[in-house]
Amino acid sequence: MSNVGLIVGRELKAYVRSPLGYAAAAGVLLIDGIWFMAKALGGPAEKRLSASVLAEFFNGATGTTAILAIALAMRLIAAEHDAGTLVLLKTSPIRDWEIVFGKFLSVMLVLLAITAMTAYMPLLILKNGKVSVGHLLVGYSGVLLLGASVTAIGLFASALAKNQVVAAILSAVLTGAMYLWWLVAKIADPPVTEVLEGLAIHHLRMRDFMTGSLRLENVVYYLAVAFFFLLASVKTLEARRWR
Amino acid sequence: MIEVRELSKYYGETKAVGPLDFTIEKGQVIGLLGLNGAGKTTTLRMLSSELLPTSGRMLVDGIDLAEEPDQIRSKIGYLPDRPPLYGEMRVREFLEFAGRLRGMPALGLMKRVNEVLALTSLVAHGDARIDTLSHGFRQRVGIAQAIVHTPALLLLDEPINGLDPVQIVEMRELIRSLRGEHTIVLSSHILSEISETCDRLLVLVDGRIVTEGTEEELAERMTPGFDVRVVARGDAAAILEQVEKVDGVRAARRLDGKAVASEYRADPAVVAVHVTADRDVREALCKALVGGDIGVLEVMRAEPELESIFLQLAGSANDLEALDGEGNES
């Protein structure tokens, strides 16, 4: 695991030293803040339940987190390939899974830090409204689990592509497709409907988290998506040794 | 110490390199010589374990790369044609990172990094961001990352590419200073570089080693016989006539004025002649020329230059086929 720590450390330093990390944090805080003002504090004149305001906040946060995950993950391997530094990792006694997991973990730590900075908004609801701490924790768990899945998708795209732009487009297309399964489900017949709805990365799965309902199957789903794409990233790196 | 057996690389149906067979003794500096596209980089990528071979084996100190890749990787330092550097890192920090990646313990790492900084003349730039360094210094950092873990085998792909003449001399001295501590394989298409730095040459053409040996051995193999250069004062036709009379001389030809030493160039009567003979005919040539009343200024053995050897090797497919057999026997 020390190799994983080495990769995580280098990646985190790279974020701190580049404008990307700061720009991403500023962008997320700005958009989440605007969303919170417009959807949660603004909106219809009639009184709303604190829980629905919190759910609305998490709905917006999932969008910004997914975009943030794509932006942070696109460079992970593609940039190394582009700069010629991947060879340093590939010729060192470090396993491909350690490279992939270290990079994944670094993005997750950045996501966690930036997501933590948005906590003042739900805390305002917690203080002034009637929501439970559990709802808040479950909502944030959903946001981070979605972030983990999209990061893994982005990492896979970054391993496939040779430059960051292509990696970003590819991960956006893959994530978009995973978002939109539920639309396809609408025009499908059972049992395909259930399967497609179950595969959709946001629709039903995230609704539970947003409303403060923690279901094991949803947690397993997001972990499985993350694991699948991390494994695909490792296999892609391994395959690259033949080219 | 390093054994390469039947190593090949195919991309689909297209053969890029191989089969390669060679052995490198500990502490040797080996030059991988070939034109662009000959397979030098692919060979080094396979030796560095960056690229997996389609077939064949590579053993370092008896350990098979396919069986113990991590153990082998910690014994190899590799500088690709483009140094693998993280621009946002500082030189010292990057070398520590490279050392830890290769499995060096934290204890002693700082000391080794300081040694490597001194060896590569980077002490003054230890705290500089890598992306602020000039190409020459970046190349030095590239070498530094390759040697920080004291690898048994050091692979350098075109290490002087893009360097100015002063940097080339410095890089050459640096590579020479690494001799002994590391076994070095360096690739180049620059003949003088190979000639200046390496103990032994492997000549690659179309992905195959067509011949190997020291520069002298290659010269011997390519130009069997004895070459002599004669510088004399007299009529050129008379000199050639006297030379061709000597028993054992196969051919003689007049060289251009550049072959004459500078102190004789002002004298139009001074002529340089290249003689190819079956054996050492220097004594007989002297006698014949003096007997012909010709003023002998120099009679010396002429060494065929690496450039002409290489051009012969790369130039003729027929020669290559013939040499392939010879190279494998040597």
Side-chain angles (χ1 to χ4, degrees):
Chain A
M1 286 301 278
S2 66
N3 286 334
V4 174
L6 208 54
I7 300 292
V8 171
R10 203 210 73 74
E11 290 293 334
L12 289 180
K13 281 181 190 167
Y15 284 123
V16 171
R17 287 171 184 175
S18 82
L20 178 67
Y22 300 102
V28 166
L29 291 174
L30 180 69
I31 294 169
D32 277 357
I34 292 171
W35 178 269
F36 185 66
M37 286 291 291
K39 292 279 183 179
L41 300 184
E46 70 270 18
K47 288 185 176 178
R48 299 171 66 193
L49 293 173
S50 305
S52 73
V53 172
L54 189 58
E56 198 63 57
F57 166 77
F58 284 129
N59 191 24
T62 54
T64 49
T65 302
I67 293 168
L68 177 63
I70 290 172
L72 293 175
M74 68 182 186
R75 53 167 286 284
L76 287 174
I77 294 173
E80 296 243 20
H81 190 274
D82 206 26
T85 49
L86 195 57
V87 63
L88 179 66
L89 303 179
K90 287 167 78 177
T91 56
S92 296
I94 172 169
R95 307 288 168 88
D96 290 335
W97 74 261
E98 290 175 319
I99 297 172
V100 166
F101 190 60
K103 285 175 177 287
F104 170 76
L105 214 55
S106 68
V107 172
M108 285 312 297
L109 289 173
V110 175
L111 274 183
L112 186 66
I114 295 176
T115 304
M117 287 186 232
T118 67
Y120 72 92
M121 291 176 271
L123 286 174
L124 279 174
I125 303 171
L126 184 70
K127 186 168 188 302
N128 299 305
K130 287 184 178 175
V131 293
S132 67
V133 175
H135 185 174
L136 203 149
L137 291 177
V138 169
Y140 267 129
S141 301
V143 169
L144 289 173
L145 281 167
L146 178 91
S149 299
V150 178
T151 301
I153 292 170
L155 188 48
F156 170 62
S158 189
L160 272 184
K162 288 187 177 174
N163 72 66
Q164 298 183 57
V165 178
V166 177
I169 293 169
L170 188 58
S171 56
V173 168
L174 282 171
T175 307
M178 301 267 307
Y179 258 77
L180 297 175
W181 280 129
W182 67 275
L183 275 178
V184 185
K186 275 187 169 181
I187 54 168
D189 296 319
V192 179
T193 310
E194 285 77 17
V195 172
L196 291 177
E197 278 185 343
L199 283 175
I201 205 167
H202 191 276
H203 186 53
L204 294 179
R205 304 278 179 201
M206 194 45 66
R207 189 177 294 166
D208 287 335
F209 284 105
M210 280 159 29
T211 54
S213 170
L214 184 64
R215 292 163 68 101
L216 183 62
E217 65 190 65
N218 292 335
V219 175
V220 170
Y221 165 82
Y222 284 113
L223 292 179
V225 170
F227 179 77
F228 174 80
F229 281 103
L230 290 180
L231 187 64
S233 307
V234 173
K235 294 298 168 193
T236 305
L237 273 190
E238 283 175 6
R240 273 203 172 171
R241 288 188 188 274
W242 293 99
R243 285 181 275 144
Chain B
M1 193 212 108
I2 289 140
E3 294 174 70
V4 171
R5 297 282 166 261
E6 298 285 320
L7 203 66
S8 297
K9 184 67 191 176
Y10 281 77
Y11 294 107
E13 296 294 311
T14 310
K15 187 184 81 175
V17 164
L20 301 177
D21 272 286
F22 57 88
T23 304
I24 305 172
E25 296 302 324
K26 191 174 182 179
Q28 277 191 330
V29 182
I30 301 295
L32 211 53
L33 182 64
L35 298 174
N36 290 334
K40 304 185 297 291
T41 295
T42 304
T43 303
L44 288 183
R45 287 181 69 201
M46 285 195 289
L47 295 182
S48 72
S49 82
E50 182 201 354
L51 189 66
L52 290 170
T54 308
S55 62
R57 301 171 71 194
M58 176 186 154
L59 295 98
V60 177
D61 292 339
I63 305 166
D64 195 326
L65 173 64
E67 289 168 10
E68 299 285 349
D70 286 349
Q71 208 177 331
I72 295 282
R73 282 177 191 143
S74 61
K75 288 175 180 280
I76 294 174
Y78 178 39
L79 173 67
D81 51 354
R82 199 163 141 222
L85 310 174
Y86 293 105
E88 83 282 357
M89 291 179 101
R90 300 189 185 278
V91 173
R92 186 185 298 276
E93 175 192 21
F94 172 68
L95 294 180
E96 286 170 17
F97 173 72
R100 290 189 61 196
L101 263 185
R102 271 67 170 266
M104 287 184 74
L107 193 69
L109 180 59
M110 288 289 286
K111 186 173 171 238
R112 176 60 186 163
V113 166
N114 285 332
E115 282 172 11
V116 168
L117 285 172
L119 197 62
T120 51
S121 305
L122 283 168
V123 174
H125 301 275
D127 295 321
R129 263 180 74 119
I130 290 172
D131 54 9
T132 64
L133 296 175
S134 68
H135 180 73
F137 279 109
R138 288 166 66 89
Q139 198 76 354
R140 283 173 179 275
V141 180
I143 292 212
Q145 65 78 25
I147 62 172
V148 69
H149 55 302
T150 326
L153 175 62
L154 180 59
L155 305 166
L156 308 172
D157 193 1
E158 308 265 5
I160 61 160
N161 243 6
L163 299 182
D164 65 35
V166 174
Q167 290 170 332
I168 287 175
V169 172
E170 289 173 354
M171 184 60 72
R172 198 179 285 153
E173 283 169 3
L174 173 58
I175 294 169
R176 280 194 192 130
S177 73
L178 300 173
R179 185 194 297 258
E181 190 178 4
H182 311 272
T183 301
I184 302 173
V185 179
L186 71 88
S187 77
S188 183
H189 61 274
I190 301 170
L191 304 164
S192 57
E193 185 54 34
I194 291 275
S195 170
E196 292 272 342
T197 322
C198 301
D199 301 322
R200 193 156 68 94
L201 310 178
L202 305 177
V203 182
L204 270 178
V205 177
D206 293 336
R208 287 184 309 139
I209 295 174
V210 292
T211 191
E212 63 178 283
T214 62
E215 188 179 346
E216 292 72 30
E217 285 168 351
L218 295 190
E220 186 74 31
R221 205 172 298 148
M222 284 304 295
T223 54
F226 202 94
D227 287 0
V228 179
R229 196 178 67 174
V230 174
V231 179
R233 183 178 284 113
D235 176 57
I239 293 170
L240 285 170
E241 189 186 336
Q242 289 297 328
V243 166
E244 284 167 351
K245 276 184 194 169
V246 173
D247 187 33
V249 170
R250 283 189 288 185
R253 64 185 169 86
R254 186 178 178 179
L255 298 170
D256 64 20
K258 289 176 191 169
V260 177
S262 56
E263 65 258 40
Y264 301 130
R265 274 185 206 157
D267 186 346
V270 173
V271 175
V273 174
H274 185 93
V275 181
T276 305
D278 296 331
R279 57 183 182 275
D280 186 354
V281 291
R282 284 175 292 185
E283 190 178 340
L285 280 174
C286 285
K287 283 179 183 170
L289 289 167
V290 171
D293 200 23
I294 291 165
V296 179
L297 301 171
E298 290 176 3
V299 176
M300 65 181 75
R301 183 167 189 177
E303 296 289 346
E305 289 181 346
L306 185 57
E307 189 164 354
S308 63
I309 298 165
F310 182 53
L311 288 174
Q312 284 186 61
L313 285 167
S316 161
N318 292 334
D319 285 352
L320 295 183
E321 292 304 322
L323 277 161
D324 193 26
E326 280 183 55
N328 287 340
E329 284 162 19
S330 64

